[in-house]
Amino acid sequence: MKLTKRSQIRDAHTLAGAYAMDAVSAPDRERFERHLAGCEECAREIASLREATAMLGTATAEAVPAGLKERIMAAAAMTRQQPPADEAQPVPARTGTWIRSLAWPGRVTLATAGAAAAAVLAVAVVFGIANSSMQDQIDQAQASSQQIAVVLTAQDAHMTTGTVAGGGTATIVMSHARHALVFTAQGLHALPASRGYELWLIGPAGTRSAGMLPAGRHGMTGPVIASGLRPGDRLALTAEPADGSAHPDTPMMLDLIL
């Protein structure tokens, strides 16, 4: 079936989110760039999405701790290395000449693997991550990153911004197809330790907490993934007790129609 010009333009529009995240194939990239050259709407959307992803990257970036390399090298130097295999161990004659020729490379591989494992262990000791709780945190961070990427690359990804009462700007990238949104904010007013910012989804299905925001870093807060987005929902932000509330107890500091 041959596509009409209107359907071709509509299909090209749906590539905006994936193009902004550099997640399209070469043929689709060429097709979209031809479309982009004459579409101001897509150009604005691409600029907005790239601005949002840059903000998300800034929010999650962390500087390398001072002296990290020196601590790792010192820990590796003090860690006993895996000794090489016994060179005197004979290779059975029935294995053949070609297997004997592999004996020495095998010992080098074992020694190298032992040294690599010791170095990894040294890093684990330095960071204190040789425990299950840290692995759980890593797994959760990876899962959250994957969910964020799914929303940002969704064909219907759409960005909106809002001003937070009391100071700050919120940026939301949402996908109704994925029933989720990614929230990040800049310049939120610092709250006392006993209080925290809580996100809410408010709609025909009622008011549901979308989670507490993490503490801000360098003026940036988030990114936070909020799932369970439904038609007719609004996104709200309030200041609540640090452990959260069952329902909003303070005035809305942000109220965005999604």
Side-chain angles (χ1 to χ4, degrees):
M1 182 178 67
K2 186 175 181 180
L3 296 176
T4 64
K5 183 179 179 72
R6 177 172 295 181
S7 64
Q8 289 175 341
I9 293 174
R10 184 175 64 251
D11 289 344
H13 280 312
T14 64
L15 293 173
Y19 178 83
M21 292 292 294
D22 196 23
V24 293
S25 64
D28 281 342
R29 176 181 297 279
E30 293 178 3
R31 180 164 67 93
F32 182 78
E33 287 178 347
R34 288 196 299 269
H35 167 78
L36 185 62
C39 181
E40 293 184 4
E41 179 182 351
C42 280
R44 288 193 300 269
E45 185 172 359
I46 291 296
S48 296
L49 287 171
R50 284 179 170 168
E51 179 183 356
T53 55
M55 291 177 64
L56 291 173
T58 302
T60 57
E62 293 186 20
V64 177
L68 173 61
K69 178 179 178 181
E70 290 74 13
R71 293 198 299 272
I72 292 175
M73 297 306 293
M78 293 185 294
T79 303
R80 186 174 183 272
Q81 307 298 305
Q82 176 72 25
D86 185 3
E87 298 180 17
Q89 184 177 358
V91 178
R94 65 177 180 273
T95 59
T97 304
W98 67 276
I99 291 184
R100 286 197 298 271
S101 69
L102 297 177
W104 173 244
R107 286 196 293 272
V108 172
T109 301
L110 285 173
T112 304
V120 170
L121 180 58
V123 174
V125 170
V126 171
F127 280 106
I129 64 172
N131 57 72
S132 59
S133 65
M134 180 58 78
Q135 185 58 52
D136 290 343
Q137 294 178 35
I138 294 173
D139 292 341
Q140 291 172 6
Q142 290 176 337
S144 177
S145 296
Q146 291 172 354
Q147 290 176 319
I148 290 172
V150 166
V151 173
L152 295 182
T153 58
Q155 290 188 345
D156 67 332
H158 173 71
M159 190 188 80
T160 186
T161 61
T163 301
V164 179
T169 303
T171 301
I172 298 95
V173 178
M174 75 192 87
S175 167
H176 287 286
R178 299 296 183 179
H179 309 291
L181 61 83
V182 178
F183 176 96
T184 187
Q186 184 174 16
L188 290 183
H189 175 71
L191 297 177
S194 61
R195 308 287 290 177
Y197 288 105
E198 188 165 4
L199 285 174
W200 304 91
L201 290 173
I202 303 174
T207 300
R208 299 99 65 199
S209 173
M212 302 295 295
L213 297 185
R217 290 186 176 182
H218 311 297
M220 298 294 297
T221 304
V224 173
I225 184 83
S227 303
L229 186 61
R230 301 175 186 177
D233 274 347
R234 307 192 326 268
L235 181 73
L237 180 70
T238 62
E240 304 292 343
D243 56 355
S245 297
H247 52 79
D249 291 328
T250 59
M252 304 291 181
M253 306 175 72
L254 177 72
D255 191 358
L256 288 177
I257 298 175
L258 304 175

